[in-house]
Amino acid sequence: MTARSMSKGSNLPVDARAVRAELTWAAGAGVPDIDGSALLLTGSGRVRDDGDFVFYNQPRHTSGAVTHLGKRSAAGAATDTVEVDLSRLEPAVERVVLCASSDGGTFGQVQGLVLRLLDAGTGAEIARFDMVAGTETAFIGGELYRRQGKWKFRAVGQGYASGLAGLATDFGITVDDAPPAAADSTTTAAGPSAAPGATTPPAASAMPPAPPAVPATPPRYPVAPTASAPASPAPVPPAVPPSVPPAAPRLTKGEERLPVDMRKRLSLRKEQVAVSLRKHGAAGVTARVVLVLDASGSMSFLYSKGVVADVVERMAAVAAQLDDDGEMQAWTFASHPARLPDLLLGELPEWLRLHVRVGEMSLFRRGRKRGLDPSQVDMREVGIQNEEQKVIAEVRSFVRNSPSAAPTLVLFFSDGGVYRNAEIERELREAVEEPIFWQFVGLGRSNYGVLERFDTLPGRRVDNVGFFAVDDIGTVPDPELYDRLLSEFPQWITAAGRAGILRS
């Protein structure tokens, strides 16, 4: 395809399977920092969710079709690039809007602002759009759009005085940390026309909603009935000798400080955990318990309805029964992992209030979010995408650096959306020789990728991974949940002991 210099509003067909949108400008003193980004839009002109925004804090779309490649500088020119694999875009995506934002000034201070569209395979230039701007701090340079099954590129050249937050909000992105918007949201560059709908959105709340209070009784949400658990195999006596009488709930420090209703629930649940362990031949076994919570954007509903808080309370009973000190280490993750403060039973209500929180998307490079408790993670640093392999690696590092006489049981809760299958498989295969059993629990019917298949994957000395999924964990009775949660762990203890992975 012959390269073409474009004017605002013009368009041309794109025959390449994948393209690179390269934003270039003259760098130098007093020039603001420029960042490229992309929005994946449906036929309605809006994103499906916040995951459809690709930028420096969220550099890869879950489909793998759009990637922010980052910046480079040479000979006084700076470049930021977004790559779009048109062949991998989902059918629901009809437009990819190519955006830019300025930090520390306006686009009027930027000289030589050019959007180049390149064939990602050959590097050949397909189109070139020279842009002129004024007081804008966000800009739509162009867009790729689907027309009658073919892709085309349009030069847009529309600016936003309200910045990246105003631009993103207009297309359906949730912005929790937007700065005050300018009075006039939308202006135009290199021409008088502006896209419809470019208006100043109402300011979003600076703080996410507080997690709901823990209910006196676990919440139950009506959905399709959960399939019954598969029959458990005959119990195999674990390699670790019993240290307490069978089915006896442990007494854990701090329980007396819990509210009465919560203390009663914990006591009953500890008894049910003890019964489940005895049924599977693991009465008296001790373990260090690690909790991992998916905080990706798709989990928002489960957090807002208190489902995740209820899960944490139910898992506290597992830690209370298996761990001598009743403490539970915990991680949250989405685009990035973050370790949470250890969960101490006596502090459970406050821990739920402070730390059971969904990830957030930050459009801005700035310091810690205002108003957080010193112990809280800034969830903007966690993000909203699924990167399970990162938190798996971090938990493995913790276990290596903090050895324990007891094995480690990881209780990993996620609603799916797994797409880093090769990386996850590599981490879990490498973890086979470590004293860790990974119990994954799927919250709903989604794509769990390699996690569902791990039981059948060959080439491991011991099976160090368990997995099951439930439509609505709130409808699963405690005895059934603990039976399913603890059915494979005792078998792993035996196998890992025989293989020399666990030391008696």
Side-chain angles (χ1 to χ4, degrees), residues 45-58:
R46 296 174 69 83
V47 298
R48 293 165 295 184
D49 55 44
D50 290 351
D52 282 342
F53 188 28
V54 176
F55 67 119
Y56 54 80
N57 270 351
Q58 190 166 272

Side-chain angles (χ1 to χ4, degrees), residues 207-384:
M207 285 291 290
V214 180
T217 57
R220 298 290 182 260
Y221 305 102
V223 294
T226 304
S228 59
S232 303
V236 180
V240 182
S243 58
V244 298
R250 298 182 192 275
L251 298 177
T252 308
K253 183 178 179 181
E255 288 184 49
E256 69 282 355
R257 301 201 304 272
L258 294 175
V260 173
D261 286 346
M262 184 177 283
R263 187 164 68 242
K264 288 179 179 178
R265 290 197 299 271
L266 178 66
S267 178
L268 289 172
R269 286 168 171 166
K270 286 199 305 179
E271 291 178 6
Q272 290 159 350
V273 171
V275 169
S276 292
L277 290 169
R278 184 181 64 180
K279 285 169 62 176
H280 295 294
V285 164
T286 59
R288 172 168 55 188
V289 179
V290 173
L291 179 67
V292 179
L293 299 174
D294 183 351
S296 61
S298 59
M299 289 280 294
S300 296
F301 177 79
L302 298 179
Y303 277 87
S304 66
K305 295 299 181 182
V307 176
V308 179
D310 185 48
V311 164
V312 174
E313 183 181 339
R314 296 170 86 177
M315 294 309 103
V318 179
Q321 184 61 25
L322 282 174
D323 199 312
D324 282 335
D325 59 12
E327 293 185 8
M328 184 162 56
Q329 285 71 49
W331 269 261
T332 185
F333 81 95
S335 305
H336 306 284
R339 185 172 175 185
L340 300 172
D342 290 355
L343 196 164
L344 310 179
L345 274 182
E347 301 170 4
L348 179 57
E350 185 70 355
W351 197 97
L352 294 173
R353 185 183 71 82
L354 290 175
H355 306 301
V356 178
R357 299 159 58 229
V358 74
E360 300 174 28
M361 185 175 66
S362 174
L363 303 185
F364 311 102
R365 294 186 175 102
R366 53 172 130 185
R368 181 174 168 82
K369 189 170 185 174
R370 293 190 298 271
L372 292 177
D373 183 270
S375 68
Q376 287 181 297
V377 169
D378 186 341
M379 298 304 288
R380 300 177 305 176
E381 299 297 323
V382 174
I384 63 170

